[in-house]
Amino acid sequence: MEILEFGNKENKKIVLIHGFQSPYQVWDEYIKYYEKDYHIIVPILPGHNPKKKEEFISFKECAKEIEDYIISKYGNEIYAIFGMSMGGVLTATIWENKRLNIEKVIFDGSPLVSYNNFIKKFMIGFYIDITHKSQQREHKTLEQAVNNIITRDKLKFLLQALDNMSDSTIINYINDIGNFKLSNKIDTRDTNVYYYHGTKTNEMFAKKTARYIKKNYPNSNIICFKGKGHCENSLLNSIEMIKELDNIL
């Protein structure tokens, strides 16, 4: 896994974890805005690196690699970690591990409750299909991606990431996401928890997760973007999302 760093290394640390089949460049505007005040750490998750092929094995393995990297270089204090969509599963895994002391844990649309084998099988087929079509540069698929999961200026970065993504990596991601369920016994005395979600149909798992978090962590902050789709503000309206994050950071 390649890990990028931006800003003054002496400043408080923020970790940004991108979603499944999102290029790390979705964080560009966030990095430009926050790097003057914070030290930004951005992992490029396995299977998403535009420069080389990497196989994703498990979130447990990824979490250990990120934790080892941060602890060996900077110690275990993290000001905030923000996981977008699937990146929130990795964020939650790091939070559960408690190897890092995290002041603020932030999720956007992250599916942190498990789902059944039927849904896993459907999602695996769906993502393999659109990945192959993207690799073949099918015009309809690319146009559907623009302003639904990526802005047009970042489409080239999405395609670079997908070009290096194997079917086995897709299968491993979907299975690991589907098997994950956030623990209901994490000590939150020193951590503030924030969960963002929309209300459109593609936020079904996010809404279910929001209810689960509120039930088990009643002091958490649940923020609903009415009329918005999955990670819509984070992916497509970074200016609006940065305003939201400013209220936290």
Side-chain angles (χ1 to χ4, degrees):
M1 184 192 313
E2 184 175 357
I3 298 177
L4 308 177
E5 300 183 52
F6 306 87
N8 188 335
K9 295 180 180 180
E10 301 301 317
N11 289 341
K12 290 181 178 180
K13 284 157 182 55
I14 296 177
V15 182
L16 302 176
I17 304 182
H18 64 77
F20 177 57
Q21 296 202 329
S22 283
Y24 74 87
Q25 290 93 341
V26 297
W27 296 123
D28 282 353
E29 287 77 18
Y30 301 83
I31 293 165
K32 290 175 185 176
Y33 184 83
Y34 286 114
E35 66 179 339
K36 64 182 181 297
D37 296 315
Y38 299 99
H39 178 210
I40 312 296
I41 298 172
V42 180
I44 305 176
L45 301 189
H48 295 78
N49 196 314
K51 296 181 289 187
K52 59 183 177 180
K53 292 182 181 291
E54 294 176 320
E55 291 294 312
F56 171 80
I57 306 301
S58 70
F59 289 112
K60 182 178 180 180
E61 183 179 280
C62 289
K64 184 179 186 306
E65 188 171 346
I66 292 170
E67 292 161 356
D68 287 348
Y69 179 90
I70 292 173
I71 291 169
S72 67
K73 295 187 71 174
Y74 305 113
N76 62 355
E77 297 296 323
I78 295 294
Y79 180 58
I81 181 168
F82 179 17
M84 187 190 301
S85 188
M86 169 277 292
V89 178
L90 179 52
T91 297
T93 303
I94 293 171
W95 178 31
E96 289 181 353
N97 288 345
K98 286 295 181 180
R99 293 183 67 202
L100 300 176
N101 297 325
I102 308 169
E103 188 171 332
K104 301 174 189 294
V105 177
I106 308 165
F107 303 98
D108 186 7
S110 301
L112 305 181
V113 290
S114 57
Y115 46 80
N116 61 41
N117 289 332
F118 174 81
I119 294 175
K120 286 184 213 172
K121 184 177 180 180
F122 171 80
M123 292 180 70
I124 287 170
F126 172 79
Y127 280 109
I128 287 177
D129 181 55
I130 63 170
T131 300
H132 290 175
K133 288 178 179 177
S134 298
Q135 291 168 344
Q136 295 161 7
R137 303 299 190 263
E138 183 189 80
H139 178 74
K140 182 179 179 181
T141 298
L142 303 190
E143 287 303 307
Q144 287 175 338
V146 173
N147 293 328
N148 283 306
I149 62 171
I150 202 76
T151 53
R152 188 170 294 278
D153 62 306
K154 291 184 173 62
L155 178 61
K156 61 183 178 181
F157 301 126
L158 171 65
L159 295 176
Q160 288 170 0
L162 294 184
D163 283 346
N164 281 333
M165 183 169 288
S166 68
D167 290 1
S168 58
T169 279
I170 294 171
I171 292 168
N172 289 344
Y173 267 118
I174 298 303
N175 282 331
D176 224 23
I177 295 168
N179 292 335
F180 183 83
K181 185 173 183 178
L182 179 70
S183 170
N184 61 1
K185 297 179 181 179
I186 307 173
D187 186 351
T188 58
R189 284 175 292 182
D190 298 318
T191 304
N192 296 310
V193 181
Y194 303 85
Y195 190 91
Y196 293 96
H197 70 92
T199 58
K200 288 187 177 179
T201 305
N202 62 3
E203 283 287 71
M204 176 179 66
F205 291 116
K207 289 185 282 187
K208 185 176 180 181
T209 300
R211 293 191 295 269
Y212 176 84
I213 290 176
K214 197 61 181 177
K215 176 182 176 182
N216 292 285
Y217 299 100
N219 292 328
S220 60
N221 302 274
I222 308 297
I223 302 98
C224 175
F225 296 136
K226 292 185 178 180
K228 298 287 185 175
H230 185 62
C231 296
E232 184 173 334
N233 280 347
S234 289
L235 288 170
L236 307 177
N237 303 303
S238 58
I239 293 175
E240 292 302 314
M241 195 63 196
I242 286 169
K243 288 178 183 178
E244 287 289 335
L245 293 175
D246 275 348
N247 294 328
I248 297 173
L249 302 175

